[in-house]
Amino acid sequence: CRVVVAGDAHWTTELVAVEPADAFRIHMSVEQAIIRRGDTMVLKLRIFNLSLESRNLMLLMAKEGSKSSTPKSAALKEQAVNAAVVSEADGYTFGVWGISGEDDGTVRLNRDYELLAVDAALVLGDIQGQHASNAELRFVPLRLGRLKVPNFKLYDKIAGRWYTCSHNLSIIAVDNLS
């Protein structure tokens, strides 16, 4: 017995943005239905380049600003602990925060208190104008309850410009025992 199936396909194309803009549209979604404290969660990103020009992008986690209410001595120590250890590879510079031999565990860092960012930086590469790229960021929830996903920044290596992505995305982490 032989079965033949036929169908019609129609392809249409349109611009990602109504008018080209020097901006990005970012869709975010969480892969897991249940997020457990201490387990890795994946945040999926789809980054749309709304301009007509090609962009060479890097994504970096944004550090939250330190509180002005801390004493000066604690602020100096916090700044030392929060300084990035920088290395360079293939023309890209990466920083890792929180590495310090002077940290005795008494300073609360001004990041990673809710969600530990496993991926602090991603090289997205070239994204043509009116096209999109997919990326994944991994986090580890450090406490239970509602946790805000940190903001991040995009750096366009071609134009030498920073773009800040501010959002209100939160997740709810549950205990591993449930």
Side-chain angles (χ1 to χ4, degrees):
C1 177
R2 178 179 264 186
V3 176
V4 177
V5 178
D8 291 328
H10 299 279
W11 298 96
T12 61
T13 60
E14 62 183 46
L15 292 175
V16 173
V18 176
E19 290 185 22
D22 185 23
F24 300 92
R25 183 173 62 215
I26 301 171
H27 292 185
M28 297 185 286
S29 63
V30 178
E31 189 173 72
Q32 298 95 328
I34 297 175
I35 299 166
R36 300 190 185 282
R37 178 180 59 180
D39 290 348
T40 303
M41 63 160 272
V42 176
L43 177 69
K44 291 186 173 240
L45 304 172
R46 184 146 174 88
I47 301 159
F48 294 89
N49 179 1
L50 301 181
S51 77
L52 294 175
E53 298 156 11
S54 178
R55 305 284 186 206
N56 187 347
L57 295 178
M58 290 178 62
L59 183 145
L60 297 132
M61 299 310 299
K63 287 190 348 181
E64 300 295 328
S66 59
K67 310 261 189 286
S68 60
S69 62
T70 56
K72 263 193 172 178
S73 61
L76 289 175
K77 188 170 184 181
E78 181 177 303
Q79 183 178 4
V81 173
N82 282 311
V85 174
V86 178
S87 67
E88 189 170 323
D90 296 329
Y92 294 103
T93 303
F94 295 94
V96 179
W97 292 296
I99 298 176
S100 172
E102 301 168 7
D103 181 14
D104 59 4
T106 59
V107 175
R108 179 175 172 173
L109 302 180
N110 62 3
R111 70 190 185 288
D112 294 345
Y113 57 92
E114 291 188 344
L115 285 172
L116 175 65
V118 176
D119 304 304
L122 293 175
V123 177
L124 301 173
D126 288 323
I127 302 176
Q128 299 300 317
Q130 298 291 309
H131 286 77
S133 179
N134 294 322
E136 291 184 353
L137 292 173
R138 295 171 297 160
F139 296 93
V140 176
L142 299 177
R143 69 171 182 83
L144 300 175
R146 184 174 182 261
L147 310 176
K148 182 179 180 334
V149 174
N151 293 328
F152 52 89
K153 293 186 177 195
L154 292 172
Y155 178 70
D156 179 6
K157 192 173 175 184
I158 294 172
R161 292 191 59 191
W162 287 95
Y163 299 87
T164 301
C165 176
S166 299
H167 59 83
N168 293 321
L169 181 65
S170 295
I171 57 113
I172 296 177
V174 297
D175 203 354
N176 278 330
L177 302 175
S178 51

